[in-house]
PDB file of all heavy atoms in Angstrom:
ATOM      1  N   GLY A  52      28.737  25.300  -2.196  1.00 90.00           N
ATOM      2  CA  GLY A  52      29.605  25.195  -3.371  1.00 90.00           C
ATOM      3  C   GLY A  52      29.859  23.749  -3.760  1.00 90.00           C
ATOM      4  O   GLY A  52      29.859  23.392  -4.939  1.00 90.00           O
ATOM      5  N   GLY A  79      37.117  10.934  -3.721  1.00 92.00           N
ATOM      6  CA  GLY A  79      38.249  10.997  -2.808  1.00 92.00           C
ATOM      7  C   GLY A  79      38.123  12.181  -1.876  1.00 92.00           C
ATOM      8  O   GLY A  79      37.291  13.068  -2.085  1.00 92.00           O
ATOM      9  N   GLY A 174      65.053  21.667 -11.640  1.00 97.00           N
ATOM     10  CA  GLY A 174      65.253  23.054 -11.241  1.00 97.00           C
ATOM     11  C   GLY A 174      63.974  23.830 -11.023  1.00 97.00           C
ATOM     12  O   GLY A 174      64.004  25.055 -10.854  1.00 97.00           O
ATOM     13  N   ASP A 288      57.979  43.388   4.941  1.00 96.00           N
ATOM     14  CA  ASP A 288      56.977  43.955   4.043  1.00 96.00           C
ATOM     15  C   ASP A 288      57.245  43.414   2.642  1.00 96.00           C
ATOM     16  O   ASP A 288      58.395  43.434   2.178  1.00 96.00           O
ATOM     17  CB  ASP A 288      57.043  45.483   4.054  1.00 96.00           C
ATOM     18  CG  ASP A 288      55.991  46.116   3.170  1.00 96.00           C
ATOM     19  OD1 ASP A 288      56.240  46.265   1.946  1.00 96.00           O
ATOM     20  OD2 ASP A 288      54.913  46.452   3.670  1.00 96.00           O
ATOM     21  N   ALA A 328      55.936  46.322  21.524  1.00 97.00           N
ATOM     22  CA  ALA A 328      57.072  47.049  20.942  1.00 97.00           C
ATOM     23  C   ALA A 328      56.588  48.262  20.142  1.00 97.00           C
ATOM     24  O   ALA A 328      57.248  49.307  20.130  1.00 97.00           O
ATOM     25  CB  ALA A 328      57.878  46.113  20.054  1.00 97.00           C
ATOM     26  N   VAL A 333      56.768  54.206  19.592  1.00 97.00           N
ATOM     27  CA  VAL A 333      56.081  55.506  19.501  1.00 97.00           C
ATOM     28  C   VAL A 333      56.448  56.377  20.693  1.00 97.00           C
ATOM     29  O   VAL A 333      56.763  57.575  20.537  1.00 97.00           O
ATOM     30  CB  VAL A 333      54.552  55.301  19.426  1.00 97.00           C
ATOM     31  CG1 VAL A 333      53.834  56.639  19.508  1.00 97.00           C
ATOM     32  CG2 VAL A 333      54.177  54.584  18.143  1.00 97.00           C
ATOM     33  N   LEU A 341      60.901  63.186  17.809  1.00 97.00           N
ATOM     34  CA  LEU A 341      60.921  62.734  16.414  1.00 97.00           C
ATOM     35  C   LEU A 341      59.546  62.314  15.902  1.00 97.00           C
ATOM     36  O   LEU A 341      59.415  61.911  14.741  1.00 97.00           O
ATOM     37  CB  LEU A 341      61.904  61.563  16.270  1.00 97.00           C
ATOM     38  CG  LEU A 341      63.364  61.889  16.616  1.00 97.00           C
ATOM     39  CD1 LEU A 341      64.224  60.623  16.551  1.00 97.00           C
ATOM     40  CD2 LEU A 341      63.911  62.957  15.682  1.00 97.00           C
ATOM     41  N   ALA A 344      53.503  63.592  13.683  1.00 95.00           N
ATOM     42  CA  ALA A 344      52.043  63.600  13.683  1.00 95.00           C
ATOM     43  C   ALA A 344      51.514  62.184  13.801  1.00 95.00           C
ATOM     44  O   ALA A 344      52.204  61.212  13.491  1.00 95.00           O
ATOM     45  CB  ALA A 344      51.520  64.256  12.402  1.00 95.00           C
ATOM     46  N   LYS A 375      56.593  30.785 -12.440  1.00 96.00           N
ATOM     47  CA  LYS A 375      56.773  31.606 -13.641  1.00 96.00           C
ATOM     48  C   LYS A 375      57.104  30.736 -14.851  1.00 96.00           C
ATOM     49  O   LYS A 375      56.542  30.921 -15.939  1.00 96.00           O
ATOM     50  CB  LYS A 375      57.879  32.634 -13.398  1.00 96.00           C
ATOM     51  CG  LYS A 375      58.168  33.550 -14.580  1.00 96.00           C
ATOM     52  CD  LYS A 375      57.058  34.552 -14.808  1.00 96.00           C
ATOM     53  CE  LYS A 375      57.108  35.667 -13.806  1.00 96.00           C
ATOM     54  NZ  LYS A 375      56.111  36.730 -14.105  1.00 96.00           N
ATOM     55  N   PHE A 434      69.878  16.848   0.126  1.00 98.00           N
ATOM     56  CA  PHE A 434      69.769  15.691  -0.772  1.00 98.00           C
ATOM     57  C   PHE A 434      68.287  15.338  -0.903  1.00 98.00           C
ATOM     58  O   PHE A 434      67.647  14.934   0.066  1.00 98.00           O
ATOM     59  CB  PHE A 434      70.570  14.512  -0.217  1.00 98.00           C
ATOM     60  CG  PHE A 434      72.027  14.837  -0.025  1.00 98.00           C
ATOM     61  CD1 PHE A 434      72.501  15.272   1.201  1.00 98.00           C
ATOM     62  CD2 PHE A 434      72.915  14.745  -1.092  1.00 98.00           C
ATOM     63  CE1 PHE A 434      73.835  15.605   1.378  1.00 98.00           C
ATOM     64  CE2 PHE A 434      74.261  15.074  -0.928  1.00 98.00           C
ATOM     65  CZ  PHE A 434      74.720  15.508   0.305  1.00 98.00           C
ATOM     66  N   ASP A 461      59.439  19.860   7.565  1.00 97.00           N
ATOM     67  CA  ASP A 461      58.240  20.473   7.000  1.00 97.00           C
ATOM     68  C   ASP A 461      57.439  19.482   6.169  1.00 97.00           C
ATOM     69  O   ASP A 461      57.950  18.463   5.713  1.00 97.00           O
ATOM     70  CB  ASP A 461      58.605  21.677   6.131  1.00 97.00           C
ATOM     71  CG  ASP A 461      59.174  22.832   6.940  1.00 97.00           C
ATOM     72  OD1 ASP A 461      59.125  22.758   8.183  1.00 97.00           O
ATOM     73  OD2 ASP A 461      59.668  23.798   6.331  1.00 97.00           O
TER      74      ASP A 461
END
Side-chain angles (χ1 to χ4, degrees):
D288 182 275
V333 173
L341 299 175
K375 180 72 76 174
F434 302 94
D461 293 351

